Amino acid sequence: MISTIYTNPNSVTGAAGYWTGTANATANSGSPTCKVESKDTTTTATDGDFAAVFSMK
């Protein structure tokens, strides 16, 4: 699973809006296993770009 979530700016505190990216893999008993090999979140906070490499066996 890969997702990005945007948090709106806070007008009370003045905090800027930002993006958060997540990637995770779930393995079930008797099923193929999936693993997150790498993530690239270098620009996620500013523009929401997010990349992940998964492997499955």
Side-chain angles (χ1 to χ4, degrees):
M1 180 177 92
I2 186 170
S3 65
T4 55
I5 298 171
Y6 183 71
T7 302
N8 290 317
N10 186 323
S11 61
V12 174
T13 64
Y18 61 92
W19 291 90
T20 305
T22 60
N24 57 39
T26 304
N28 297 320
S29 178
S31 297
T33 57
C34 187
K35 177 180 171 188
V36 178
E37 298 291 340
S38 65
K39 296 187 289 186
D40 179 2
T41 60
T42 54
T43 62
T44 302
T46 56
D47 60 18
D49 287 349
F50 185 88
V53 175
F54 294 88
S55 67
M56 185 181 295
K57 54 180 167 170

